[in-house]
Amino acid sequence: MADEELLKSTVTPIKRASTHQKEKQAQEADINGRRLMAFDTVFNGREQVIHLDQDTGDVIIDGKVYNVDLEYDPDGYYVANVKDKHRYKIEYQSGDIYLEGRLIEFTYNPAVPKLERKKSARAGQNVITAPLPGNVTDIAVKLGDKVTMGQTVLTLEAMKMQNDIVSDTDGIIKEVYVKKGDLVSGDQRLILVDAPKEETKSSE
Amino acid sequence: MIDRLLIANRGEIAVRVIRAARMLEMDTFAIHSKQDANSLHVRLADDAIPLGGGSARDNYLNIDKIINAALEQNVDGIHPGYGFLSESAEFAQAVIDAGITWVGPPPSAIAKLGDKIASREEAEKVGVPTTPGTENPVEPNKEAMKLAKDIGYPIMVKAAYGGGGMGMKVVRDADELQSAIEQTQKQAGAAFGRSEIFLEKYVERPKHIEVQFISDSHGNVVHLGERECSIQRRHQKLIEEGPSPALTEEQRNEIGEKVKKLALAVDYENAGTAEFLYKDGEFYFNEVNARLQVEHPVTEMITGKDLVVEQLRIASGKKLSWTQNDIQTNGHAIELRINAEDPLNDFSPSWGTVNSLNTPGGFGVRFDSHIYEGYKVPTDYDSLLGKLIIWGEDREQAIYRAYYALSELSINGFSTNMPFHRVVLANKEFHQGKTTTSFIKDTQLIPYIKEAYNRRLAALIKTGMRTSKVFLPPRSQSKWRDSSRLESSGRLV
């Protein structure tokens, strides 16, 4: 770097990123009247549901609107201009996607819209399975116990952490498939919660 | 010089020690659990001894198994790495009793420094600044109120035999003191079997500053400057740097000399680190880690000295290679701990296979890791995948270089905490050196990490493209909520 002053005055990617952190949080999207299509996406190892407005093309994530303009460069890559400010270069090569020059993994599938189901109890039997392999170190419930959504039912030791497995519904413990000290594999059945039948509520 | 070295550890630190041992032409022996059969340290070592499956108690923490393996292979030195048995005086003694050289401090020094009360006494004796507190256990009475008043609020009410962040309560008001002592006594009695309570000054929003030192068996000791490790989450360090932007040269030398006195006072040998809380010009002694630390590369980058090679030399009886004058710091270094964790899901652990890996390089870029493409990250151990360590001529250059090196680092197959690091490196408060142990909470980074993620996700979905190589999406993390955390690559739950 020849000129130290030049380094400090140029608007570099890190300086841009630094400015963006101070931006005001985006406005909540008004989703009334929008025709939305839901997608289950997996981006860099995590799952996220997003919605696409079928009329305006807006992307809606966590209730916020992101408008995206795509430019296609004849050299063979996209520049996505998000919210008129953030530009991301996206390239596709033999099945791989490169975002800002870095190989990433991204996939998506159309999903049944989940907005309506978010807060309602799922009637009937709900099996709680192990999110990853581990050791059952504690079972906090027994047959017949009443549980509420978010209540810890079991503790699984994995990746050197004690992880609380919670019930994602209100209900009554119908079955406990494991016992303390068991080694379980990913997706293995742990507990069965019987949820009471309830009217499904529409979106909150 | 040690000829045949056994590395009683795993993961990136085992790889680090093997690399140093090779420089001294030692034969290297790895031990490994069944789960680690395909780990990099196993492949790099000259030979590997399987210790069987099960929890760490059955392998990496099993003193008998490790000593037997060492004896069978006729090794003459054992390096314990960090975590696991590295601070076990029992293990150190067992190694020595078996006639094998222990790469670390003498068991007596380990024991003394492992006892928080004893190490504090030693520190006070040599003038190392300690946290004001009570000498003896307190009861919920007027005397405690007076002692607390002398120390000054806020006060930490602490279980003497506690640990892991439990049995501690912060009291800001004199009215709450007595009931806090009572409560903590009950908790401590129940959790640790001993209800003795101490009072200590509670230092708010401190910086975490630690001093690296190393001594030989001939009475020579040097300090290699400090590291600042303020960016932590639940007492787990995430970003470390050196030198600390908060210290002057004078402060650095002063605290360094005091730490050297402490090392000599406990007859210390080999590498160690004295940890302090630091606030408004005051140091508050916390503890000494009587081992090599995860973040040692930060010191290596700014001093140009290979600490692990020196550890092996010292253990082999050689005199310390440097005098204090030989230790010069140059530039600034930052280390980012890359973990298999999802910062957007409360940093819950992720797992899977490394589908693809691209590591950055170039001037001042160092990546210490044990992962490789196709590696199945085992779920039994901590989530550290590797450390990205960056050097720059000054702090600003180091930050910029770290930001760009991180943008080149690509690990696919599961979530990593790289988005967290990216946001911290671009953060204004971080640039200004306004780092304290409450940094993550105070700067409200998580909502911004989500926003940055959302924008990129929106861009991707609009292109309509998918990664077409077949990959299994990770299991849904929605049922997680973690309740505790351990030291990296360390003790059992």
Side-chain angles (χ1 to χ4, degrees):
Chain A
M1 238 313 144
D3 196 333
E4 229 183 76
E5 289 307 290
L6 189 65
L7 177 68
K8 291 189 161 104
S9 67
T10 311
V11 182
T12 54
I14 188 176
K15 277 201 147 69
R16 271 201 295 275
S18 182
T19 328
H20 293 156
Q21 283 192 31
K22 297 300 164 193
E23 275 171 13
K24 262 201 339 228
Q25 282 289 304
Q27 293 281 10
E28 290 285 318
D30 179 8
I31 56 174
N32 278 330
R34 286 185 187 255
R35 286 195 308 145
L36 297 177
M37 188 165 170
F39 291 90
D40 285 326
T41 67
V42 181
F43 173 34
N44 274 344
R46 78 183 295 274
E47 297 173 351
Q48 175 76 47
V49 178
I50 67 156
H51 292 82
L52 219 49
D53 185 317
Q54 297 188 265
D55 301 312
T56 63
D58 290 337
V59 181
I60 297 182
I61 308 175
D62 296 333
K64 299 200 185 76
V65 191
Y66 297 84
N67 29 46
V68 185
D69 285 317
L70 276 187
E71 296 158 24
Y72 186 70
D73 187 291
D75 282 336
Y77 57 85
Y78 284 102
V79 176
N81 195 327
V82 181
K83 290 163 130 183
D84 288 322
K85 201 190 278 197
H86 311 275
R87 298 168 68 84
Y88 301 109
K89 181 175 170 190
I90 301 172
E91 287 172 282
Y92 189 79
Q93 226 180 65
S94 325
D96 286 326
I97 303 178
Y98 293 83
L99 171 67
E100 302 171 291
R102 185 177 59 251
L103 178 63
I104 55 125
E105 283 181 355
F106 172 67
T107 191
Y108 63 91
N109 286 295
V112 174
K114 288 196 178 87
L115 271 182
E116 304 94 65
R117 292 203 296 169
K118 213 171 158 197
K119 285 272 167 80
S120 66
R122 278 181 292 174
Q125 317 232 312
N126 292 278
V127 182
I128 298 176
T129 55
L132 81 167
N135 246 314
V136 178
T137 55
D138 187 55
I139 305 184
V141 296
K142 54 187 194 303
L143 286 187
D145 278 354
K146 274 213 185 83
V147 291
T148 53
M149 185 181 340
Q151 182 178 339
T152 301
V153 293
L154 184 146
T155 306
L156 198 64
E157 182 197 310
M159 292 293 253
K160 294 173 67 79
M161 291 166 65
Q162 295 282 17
N163 302 280
D164 294 332
I165 311 296
V166 302
S167 174
D168 49 12
T169 171
D170 295 347
I172 298 183
I173 303 296
K174 188 96 188 291
E175 292 265 11
V176 177
Y177 298 107
V178 294
K179 61 183 189 301
K180 192 165 156 178
D182 278 355
L183 205 60
V184 298
S185 53
D187 271 354
Q188 182 169 334
R189 293 170 151 217
L190 302 173
I191 294 197
L192 185 65
V193 181
D194 200 9
K197 292 196 179 3
E198 209 185 287
E199 292 293 307
T200 50
K201 301 196 178 78
S202 25
S203 66
E204 70 281 39
Chain B
M1 185 66 85
I2 296 171
D3 232 340
R4 298 159 70 81
L5 181 77
L6 182 130
I7 297 97
N9 213 299
R10 61 172 300 280
E12 71 87 20
I13 192 61
V15 172
R16 174 77 187 90
V17 175
I18 291 172
R19 286 174 175 159
R22 284 175 164 176
M23 294 298 294
L24 296 170
E25 298 186 18
M26 295 174 182
D27 291 327
T28 52
F29 294 84
I31 52 163
H32 67 92
S33 62
K34 186 156 173 231
Q35 300 90 311
D36 272 339
N38 291 315
S39 195
L40 184 63
H41 77 283
V42 171
R43 274 199 276 126
L44 288 183
D46 294 315
D47 214 337
I49 305 121
L51 296 186
S55 69
R57 265 190 277 258
D58 299 324
N59 35 66
Y60 297 110
L61 288 173
N62 193 311
I63 295 179
D64 291 334
K65 272 195 190 169
I66 297 175
I67 302 282
N68 284 336
L71 289 171
E72 260 175 56
Q73 298 295 328
N74 212 10
V75 313
D76 54 357
I78 293 186
H79 191 303
Y82 51 66
F84 288 125
L85 293 166
S86 61
E87 283 181 281
S88 161
E90 192 195 331
F91 180 55
Q93 194 60 60
V95 170
I96 294 168
D97 290 342
I100 301 171
T101 303
W102 165 253
V103 183
S108 55
I110 298 178
K112 198 171 258 177
L113 296 168
D115 176 345
K116 282 216 164 187
I117 301 167
S119 68
R120 190 204 154 100
E121 273 172 19
E122 291 295 334
E124 276 172 352
K125 271 193 229 162
V126 298
V128 168
T130 53
T131 315
T134 59
E135 298 281 312
N136 298 307
V138 297
E139 293 294 329
N141 55 23
K142 285 222 174 73
E143 200 195 319
M145 300 281 283
K146 177 170 186 311
L147 288 168
K149 190 156 174 257
D150 289 340
I151 297 172
Y153 286 85
I155 294 272
M156 175 79 94
V157 175
K158 235 172 157 175
Y161 294 92
M166 284 173 58
M168 303 195 305
K169 196 172 164 63
V170 181
V171 175
R172 300 183 186 277
D173 218 285
D175 297 335
E176 301 166 359
L177 182 68
Q178 299 209 21
S179 62
I181 296 177
E182 267 168 24
Q183 273 177 37
T184 317
Q185 276 178 330
K186 281 206 191 83
Q187 274 177 22
F192 312 113
R194 303 203 54 166
S195 56
E196 285 94 326
I197 302 297
F198 286 74
L199 302 180
E200 212 178 54
K201 183 180 173 76
Y202 177 61
V203 185
E204 285 204 271
R205 292 198 165 72
K207 285 181 178 282
H208 171 119
I209 295 187
E210 55 190 40
V211 179
Q212 175 75 54
F213 62 92
I214 191 164
S215 49
D216 62 19
S217 49
H218 307 272
N220 302 306
V221 58
V222 296
H223 76 84
L224 293 105
E226 82 284 7
R227 296 182 291 260
E228 183 180 330
C229 315
S230 298
I231 300 188
Q232 312 173 349
R233 186 187 162 265
R234 298 203 190 173
H235 305 288
Q236 297 291 309
K237 297 165 185 166
L238 284 167
I239 300 180
E240 305 102 344
E241 60 179 312
S244 166
L247 298 189
T248 62
E249 193 64 25
E250 209 185 304
Q251 285 175 303
R252 179 167 300 126
N253 291 334
E254 197 184 320
I255 196 73
E257 289 303 313
K258 293 198 172 131
V259 167
K260 279 158 69 175
K261 282 210 187 97
L262 179 59
L264 290 170
V266 301
D267 294 319
Y268 200 87
E269 281 169 37
N270 220 291
T273 298
E275 291 191 337
F276 298 87
L277 299 181
Y278 173 88
K279 188 167 180 197
D280 298 331
E282 299 287 333
F283 283 93
Y284 302 93
F285 176 72
N286 189 26
E287 61 176 354
V288 173
N289 287 323
R291 55 171 167 83
L292 185 70
Q293 286 201 275
V294 175
E295 58 271 22
H296 71 274
V298 169
T299 300
E300 290 182 333
M301 298 290 264
I302 58 174
T303 57
K305 310 290 188 205
D306 187 325
L307 286 173
V308 186
V309 164
E310 191 64 10
Q311 278 193 297
L312 294 170
R313 275 219 188 88
I314 286 172
S316 304
K318 304 252 178 280
K319 248 183 59 161
L320 196 53
S321 304
W322 323 300
T323 63
Q324 193 63 58
N325 283 334
D326 294 324
I327 309 296
Q328 301 284 330
T329 52
N330 177 29
H332 196 96
I334 297 178
E335 175 180 280
L336 310 169
R337 293 200 197 184
I338 313 294
N339 295 332
E341 285 173 345
D342 184 1
L344 296 177
N345 204 1
D346 205 28
F347 292 84
S348 64
S350 61
W351 58 294
T353 305
V354 180
N355 289 341
S356 63
L357 173 69
N358 188 53
T359 53
F363 182 73
V365 177
R366 170 176 167 179
F367 187 57
D368 278 20
S369 168
H370 60 291
I371 68 171
Y372 53 86
E373 224 164 83
Y375 176 60
K376 277 208 186 71
V377 179
T379 57
D380 311 71
Y381 310 108
D382 65 57
S383 56
L384 181 65
L385 298 168
K387 299 153 4 193
L388 183 60
I389 310 118
I390 305 294
W391 183 88
E393 284 179 30
D394 53 43
R395 186 167 187 265
E396 184 176 285
Q397 197 185 85
I399 292 174
Y400 279 41
R401 181 167 283 139
Y403 184 82
Y404 297 123
L406 185 69
S407 69
E408 281 185 57
L409 177 61
S410 150
I411 304 174
N412 286 305
F414 43 84
S415 308
T416 68
N417 64 353
M418 291 194 292
F420 166 82
H421 289 304
R422 188 162 37 242
V423 166
V424 173
L425 289 169
N427 177 274
K428 277 224 163 65
E429 272 82 35
F430 180 72
H431 290 179
Q432 291 161 354
K434 294 187 177 152
T435 47
T436 70
T437 53
S438 310
F439 184 82
I440 295 176
K441 229 188 307 160
D442 292 342
T443 48
Q444 304 245 319
L445 290 170
I446 308 297
Y448 186 72
I449 300 176
K450 187 71 204 332
E451 176 66 15
Y453 174 91
N454 286 353
R455 288 198 306 258
R456 287 165 173 83
L457 183 53
L460 285 167
I461 193 78
K462 285 297 275 203
T463 63
M465 302 191 284
R466 282 184 179 90
T467 300
S468 69
K469 299 230 175 92
V470 175
F471 71 92
L472 293 168
R475 310 292 176 188
S476 172
Q477 300 288 326
S478 57
K479 297 189 181 102
W480 283 113
R481 198 173 14 106
D482 87 86
S483 52
S484 72
R485 192 66 211 269
L486 305 159
E487 191 201 296
S488 175
S489 159
R491 293 147 225 150
L492 249 195
V493 172

